[in-house]
Amino acid sequence: MFKIAKANTATPLMPGSLNDNNRNREMLAQFSVSEAWAGDFSTGVIRLGEWSSMLHGLSAPECGLLNLIRCYDTKDRSHVLELFEQAATRCSSFCFSTTIMMPNGFRQPLFCMGESNGLEKKYSGSMAGVFIFPRFKLEGANQITSWR
């Protein structure tokens, strides 16, 4: 899944979506680890949280786009790169899913949602988003099940 759409800040939030009594966060935490990330177009630096850095196989919380996607499934890398390039040229909302290929042979599913903004001047703007890592790893390609 690789999607990009023009950002629409006029889209209303669902009723109760920002309500602190909403238990969806607990449910999300039960099934996944989620962590925010941010990117700065003027420097090309993407800042990750502790879990995201570790699961992407990075030794530091800051990296470039090519270092970020090098652990992604090879068939998805060009799609993810194209998605980020498109988001860097116009204010957009985007999402993708892929698999992180870990050195130990395990495969970690990854979902990403984000948006870009502030592109009014050349080499300006930023991206912000969230990575969601389901709380399981897959062992080799034989462990992946597709539902029809």
Side-chain angles (χ1 to χ4, degrees):
M1 169 182 70
F2 306 93
K3 301 288 180 191
I4 189 162
K6 185 175 167 124
N8 184 353
T9 56
T11 304
L13 294 172
M14 290 177 30
S17 63
L18 297 178
N19 185 342
D20 283 338
N21 294 327
N22 193 338
R23 300 291 178 225
N24 289 337
R25 284 185 228 146
E26 292 172 11
M27 180 74 71
L28 183 64
Q30 178 180 344
F31 296 110
S32 65
V33 172
S34 59
E35 198 166 57
W37 59 269
D40 182 343
F41 292 147
S42 66
T43 62
V45 172
I46 299 173
R47 287 175 200 78
L48 307 174
E50 182 180 346
W51 278 100
S52 297
S53 297
M54 179 188 69
L55 290 171
H56 279 88
L58 301 169
S59 58
E62 295 183 342
C63 66
L65 180 57
L66 295 179
N67 286 331
L68 179 73
I69 67 170
R70 70 175 167 70
C71 64
Y72 292 175
D73 191 330
T74 54
K75 68 181 180 358
D76 294 340
R77 289 181 197 162
S78 63
H79 296 295
V80 173
L81 185 59
E82 183 180 337
L83 189 73
F84 273 92
E85 288 174 348
Q86 288 177 26
T89 60
R90 69 176 197 254
C91 293
S92 309
S93 296
F94 59 89
C95 63
F96 67 87
S97 63
T98 189
T99 304
I100 293 176
M101 312 304 284
M102 299 182 139
N104 62 4
F106 285 101
R107 298 162 52 93
Q108 173 64 59
L110 164 69
F111 300 97
C112 176
M113 294 169 279
E115 66 181 13
S116 61
N117 57 52
L119 302 169
E120 295 79 27
K121 295 181 181 176
K122 193 172 185 179
Y123 306 116
S124 66
S126 63
M127 286 185 179
V130 63
F131 288 126
I132 301 172
F133 304 95
R135 289 190 180 273
F136 61 84
K137 292 183 180 77
L138 303 169
E139 211 176 324
N142 295 336
Q143 298 294 318
I144 296 177
T145 304
S146 62
W147 297 92
R148 296 179 197 263

